[in-house]
Amino acid sequence: MSQTKYIFVTGGVTSSLGKGIIAASLAKLLQARGYRTTIQKLDPYINVDPGTLNPYEHGECYVTDDGAETDLDLGHYERFLNVRTSQANNVTTGRIYQSVIEKERRGEFLGKTVQVVPHITNEIKERIQILGKSGDYDIIITEIGGTVGDIESLPYIEAVRQLLWELGEHNGIVVHLTLVPFLSAAGELKTKPTQHSVKTLMESGIKADILVCRTEHEISEDIKEKLALFCNVKKEAVIQSIDASTIYDVPLMMQEEGLDAVTLEKLALPNNTEPNLDQWKEFLERHKNPKNKVTIGLIGKYVELQDSYKSILEAFIHAGAANEVKVEVRSIHSEHLSAKNIDKKLMGLDGILVAPGFGERGIEGKVMAVRYARENNVPFLGICLGMQMAVIEFARNVLGMDKANSTEMDKDTAYPVISLMEEQKSITDMGGTMRLGAWDCHLKENSLVEKVYGSADIAERHRHRYEFNNAYKQQMEEAGLMASGFNPKTGLVEVVEIPSHPWFIGVQYHPEYKSTVANPHPLFVGFVKAVLVQKQKQKNASLA
């Protein structure tokens, strides 16, 4: 296949309809038919990347192997497709304008007046086609953030209009995701919002080729006919997307509705193979029919918004299916933990995960949670800041360094067991001091973490600034906290564990970013397995 085909996914009526899930589901179906497929996200906000955005604003910040801080939708793309994404898969308005302004400063526009059309739109078109021109993909799906009609989205919509015209017939299509609300007073579904949304799109010169209608109730054939007529699409291109019990059901629901078949027809691609979704169905089967159940406490400080820890929650779903266990995650706000209530709040948990984060808010609660897990033999996994809290807790309560801390929280601490590396101290740009993207890690022979991975050398994604202070390494190891993973080039500690504990691991990196349906992350699989084993041991002990 020579010409790369492009699919643009736009949204109408309201945000949060699930464009990312629909894009990932369509990509999964096309991939399962043998087409090399990837997805990119165009975000209309002016931040250069979501790295400095509050998790309450935008959910988690997802990090790729090449160190790009990106939108959490890229996590869905990787989890569904098992294909690695990169900087090229996420573009923001901030990055577009930054690039155009830099070109203007260098004199690349030869003194011309720089305008939204053609300069900004040309930059957008270029970014859309980077992946297509690489020769690695047959189909590129581009999800456009925001809602059609937003001021912010207009340059993207115009760039798509131009690109569709340039690519020619059958080389680019638009899938428009919209809402068909149910009015309980009238007792019926309403198509008017969708009609308005499609009309807004047409005012920008773009015709929707496929309509995906989000709904809470079944859409009748009559309504499909009405939508087809008023929105100028074929009836088979009106696709129902009804609420699902899990996002992982959506690819199969879209297949049933014929989304992939109508897409291939519009792109003039052969539709002579059935999608191979055996592995996907097997995963769903295990996910929906668990043999056991465990409860894991997620100790974090952004727990009010589920999307703040999206990748961790999804990694538990993958690991749960791998172990045929239902993992019930109980979110616990670390700011609400105190010496008085800790036993009551954490009682009944089979495992404890202390989550990543930045800043000093809620820190003491995390340290208490680590202590509870360590002293009560509760299986423990600490991620990034969670690993650092495990080091601080050990220094304070085992080594007697009662004011031990990270210099992030207390720059004058007498025991800076976590601190900045020397070369980072002079950098003032918030993003500039971060260790981002995939870094190598060597695991100690016969350590628990090496057994979990089944390998001595791994590469994992990072997003942090402060490091384990090697000046305290010997003391810690002599007291029973083993540094079992380190970066081979810098000697920085990446993993700590307590060999005398049933299962206690803290990692400086973010394993959750690499967990997918096809490859559940070994750390999460191992953690869930250990939680189940420990739970059964305690059950047997109480029966005896």
Side-chain angles (χ1 to χ4, degrees):
M1 204 177 111
S2 53
Q3 168 79 46
T4 304
K5 308 277 187 172
Y6 290 86
I7 299 168
F8 299 100
V9 179
T10 58
V13 185
T14 168
S15 58
S16 303
L17 288 181
K19 287 194 298 290
I21 302 296
I22 291 296
S25 299
L26 176 54
K28 181 76 222 166
L29 293 173
L30 296 170
Q31 183 195 53
R33 288 172 176 269
Y35 291 104
R36 297 172 306 157
T37 311
T38 190
I39 320 178
Q40 57 186 176
K41 172 88 187 271
L42 306 183
D43 268 313
Y45 52 74
I46 296 172
N47 303 60
V48 171
D49 61 44
T52 53
L53 282 176
N54 185 330
Y56 289 130
E57 286 265 332
H58 204 72
E60 79 172 5
C61 171
Y62 186 81
V63 178
T64 58
D65 275 346
D66 63 350
E69 293 180 284
T70 68
D71 186 80
L72 61 82
D73 273 341
L74 268 72
H76 290 311
Y77 307 163
E78 287 204 9
R79 287 188 281 273
F80 274 55
L81 296 180
N82 203 34
V83 169
R84 297 280 167 249
T85 57
S86 69
Q87 184 66 72
N89 294 74
N90 192 203
V91 177
T92 67
T93 295
R95 204 172 280 283
I96 295 286
Y97 273 84
Q98 187 182 43
S99 174
V100 169
I101 289 165
E102 281 168 2
K103 284 179 183 173
E104 185 271 332
R105 294 288 83 189
R106 289 196 300 266
E108 285 186 28
F109 299 123
L110 306 174
K112 282 205 162 56
T113 305
V114 179
Q115 294 173 290
V116 173
V117 182
H119 302 100
I120 297 295
T121 49
N122 283 350
E123 185 74 23
I124 294 169
K125 287 191 292 185
E126 244 170 71
R127 297 295 178 111
I128 289 171
Q129 292 176 94
I130 286 174
L131 291 164
K133 286 175 177 168
S134 69
D136 296 334
Y137 303 103
D138 304 318
I139 299 169
I140 311 286
I141 299 181
T142 304
E143 178 196 341
I144 295 165
T147 311
V148 168
D150 294 349
I151 287 177
E152 295 98 336
S153 303
L154 285 173
Y156 290 104
I157 297 294
E158 170 57 20
V160 168
R161 183 198 67 76
Q162 293 178 22
L163 203 50
L164 288 167
W165 183 78
E166 288 164 18
L167 289 167
E169 223 177 336
H170 303 306
N171 291 324
I173 62 166
V174 174
V175 175
H176 190 55
L177 182 64
T178 167
L179 180 69
V180 179
F182 181 80
L183 288 192
S184 47
E188 60 183 0
L189 289 163
K190 288 294 180 188
T191 63
K192 194 59 79 181
T194 296
Q195 292 177 45
H196 280 301
S197 174
V198 170
K199 190 179 168 193
T200 305
L201 198 56
M202 289 183 88
E203 282 169 2
S204 302
I206 294 178
K207 176 189 174 299
D209 296 284
I210 299 170
L211 276 187
V212 177
C213 304
R214 287 286 288 115
T215 176
E216 293 173 3
H217 297 264
E218 293 282 339
I219 294 177
S220 66
E221 291 303 306
D222 286 355
I223 289 177
K224 280 192 174 185
E225 272 167 21
K226 186 177 179 182
L227 281 166
L229 177 65
F230 287 114
C231 299
N232 206 21
V233 296
K234 286 184 174 174
K235 188 184 162 201
E236 62 267 25
V238 178
I239 306 290
Q240 168 184 288
S241 173
I242 201 160
D243 289 356
S245 61
T246 160
I247 57 170
Y248 298 106
D249 277 329
V250 180
L252 300 179
M253 290 162 73
M254 290 302 99
Q255 184 194 8
E256 220 169 278
E257 282 284 309
L259 177 60
D260 51 333
V262 74
T263 298
L264 292 172
E265 184 197 329
K266 301 254 175 214
L267 291 172
L269 289 172
N271 174 11
N272 45 18
T273 51
E274 272 301 301
N276 178 2
L277 292 163
D278 295 348
Q279 189 187 20
W280 192 270
K281 287 174 182 167
E282 190 185 318
F283 156 76
L284 266 175
E285 182 69 23
R286 292 167 78 102
H287 172 50
K288 289 185 173 185
N289 301 293
K291 293 177 179 165
N292 292 290
K293 182 185 153 193
V294 295
T295 304
I296 293 177
L298 189 155
I299 319 292
K301 52 183 179 177
Y302 311 112
V303 294
E304 300 92 333
L305 182 70
Q306 289 281 300
D307 276 359
S308 302
Y309 301 114
K310 193 70 185 163
S311 294
I312 290 175
L313 298 175
E314 298 305 317
F316 274 132
I317 289 174
H318 309 152
N323 284 292
E324 294 185 89
V325 176
K326 176 175 172 51
V327 179
E328 192 174 281
V329 178
R330 194 188 298 166
S331 296
I332 298 166
H333 203 304
S334 59
E335 256 187 313
H336 302 160
L337 290 176
S338 66
K340 283 181 183 167
N341 69 15
I342 185 103
D343 289 348
K344 189 178 165 204
K345 291 251 188 189
L346 303 189
M347 199 183 280
L349 293 178
D350 304 313
I352 289 173
L353 181 143
V354 175
F358 289 90
E360 59 192 293
R361 186 170 65 86
I363 285 305
E364 293 305 320
K366 288 188 173 185
V367 173
M368 282 179 217
V370 176
R371 182 175 190 170
Y372 181 92
R374 182 177 60 78
E375 292 183 345
N376 293 288
N377 282 340
V378 179
F380 169 84
L381 177 59
I383 295 178
C384 198
L385 187 69
M387 173 265 208
Q388 298 178 0
M389 294 302 107
V391 172
I392 291 168
E393 188 279 328
F394 195 85
R396 286 182 189 177
N397 300 318
V398 179
L399 294 173
M401 303 173 177
D402 59 341
K403 290 280 195 294
N405 215 327
S406 162
T407 53
E408 180 183 8
M409 322 308 165
D410 175 6
K411 62 179 190 301
D412 301 318
T413 175
Y415 303 106
V417 291
I418 303 290
S419 77
L420 276 182
M421 288 158 58
E422 280 307 310
E423 62 266 29
Q424 292 175 304
K425 289 180 181 172
S426 58
I427 303 175
T428 52
D429 178 6
M430 275 299 269
T433 53
M434 290 275 243
R435 192 139 75 91
L436 282 166
W439 289 68
D440 291 335
C441 176
H442 180 74
L443 306 176
K444 235 181 212 173
E445 203 178 337
N446 292 328
S447 60
L448 172 59
V449 72
E450 191 215 26
K451 288 175 188 146
V452 165
Y453 275 94
S455 166
D457 292 291
I458 58 168
E460 290 282 4
R461 298 179 195 178
H462 292 67
R463 182 178 183 245
H464 68 98
R465 189 173 282 114
Y466 291 79
E467 305 282 357
F468 180 101
N469 187 342
N470 280 338
Y472 294 91
K473 186 174 159 198
Q474 191 181 341
Q475 266 174 290
M476 297 244 181
E477 296 217 293
E478 283 168 2
L481 182 79
M482 179 163 91
S484 54
F486 57 90
N487 180 286
K489 280 193 187 143
T490 60
L492 290 168
V493 173
E494 296 271 11
V495 188
V496 295
E497 60 183 72
I498 299 178
S500 60
H501 189 281
W503 207 96
F504 188 106
I505 291 179
V507 295
Q508 183 60 84
Y509 47 79
H510 289 263
E512 70 273 22
Y513 290 150
K514 285 179 82 165
S515 188
T516 68
V517 169
N519 286 314
H521 197 285
L523 257 181
F524 279 88
V525 175
F527 179 45
V528 170
K529 188 177 181 183
V531 169
L532 182 65
V533 167
Q534 187 72 356
K535 183 181 182 177
Q536 286 168 339
K537 258 190 204 164
Q538 281 168 335
K539 192 178 168 188
N540 295 340
S542 66
L543 289 173

